[in-house]
Every structure is written in structure tokens, then in C-alpha cells.
Amino acid sequence: MKAVLLNESECEKDLDSMYDLNNIDAVIEKLTEMNPNELIEGDLVNLIYVQVWSEYHPFGLFKFIGIEDECMKFQYLEIEWL
């Protein structure tokens, strides 16, 4: 199922060329991999941006808005550090 990010520009500002997910297309591709049957409207979803082990991991926090026209809709909230 396709995924749409409602506020792409906000998410893009927090991406870095050093991250594994370093552009908006890669983020949307990862969101597409989510199982819509396991998501409920309002659920928060984390995408880890860097897979290499380090002391801290940046991840994007997204809110699942719902499904419309065979498309999962997400809203980017912020970058957090794990």
C-alpha cells in the first residue's frame, strides 16, 4: 500500500546526509513497509534513521492519520534521539 507524508518539508529539514534514511523518498518508502492492519488512527510510529551502532540513534516520530483512497497517511512530528 502506498504511503503519503502530509508535511514532507518539516521531515526533510531534520534529515542528514549521514543517515541511512537521508531523503524524503527513503522515509516514505519505509513508511510504505508498515502493515496497515496493525495501525490504528492516532498511533505513533518510529523510524530509526541510522542503523550503525552508536551511542545515540536519531529516529523520526510519525503519527498515523488513517487510510484514504488505498493510501496510508502519516504526519511527521519530530526527530528524537534514542
Side-chain angles (χ1 to χ4, degrees):
M1 183 174 288
K2 288 177 53 177
V4 171
L5 186 55
L6 300 179
N7 53 344
E8 287 183 10
S9 62
E10 294 298 315
C11 180
E12 200 163 35
K13 284 188 234 176
D14 288 340
L15 297 176
D16 188 285
S17 62
M18 299 298 291
Y19 297 166
D20 293 332
L21 298 179
N22 57 15
N23 63 57
I24 201 68
D25 292 331
V27 170
I28 291 172
E29 184 178 324
K30 271 297 194 198
L31 290 172
T32 301
E33 294 174 8
M34 298 286 166
N35 184 345
N37 297 324
E38 295 177 357
L39 295 171
I40 298 171
E41 189 174 314
D43 277 355
L44 298 180
V45 176
N46 298 321
L47 289 184
I48 294 181
Y49 289 158
V50 177
Q51 299 296 323
V52 178
W53 280 103
S54 66
E55 189 171 342
Y56 297 103
H57 292 278
F59 67 90
L61 182 62
F62 300 84
K63 181 178 180 181
F64 178 64
I65 303 298
I67 297 174
E68 187 177 308
D69 299 326
E70 298 292 320
C71 198
M72 295 183 291
K73 292 190 175 189
F74 294 89
Q75 177 184 11
Y76 174 72
L77 299 177
E78 64 185 353
I79 192 168
E80 293 189 347
W81 296 87
L82 181 66

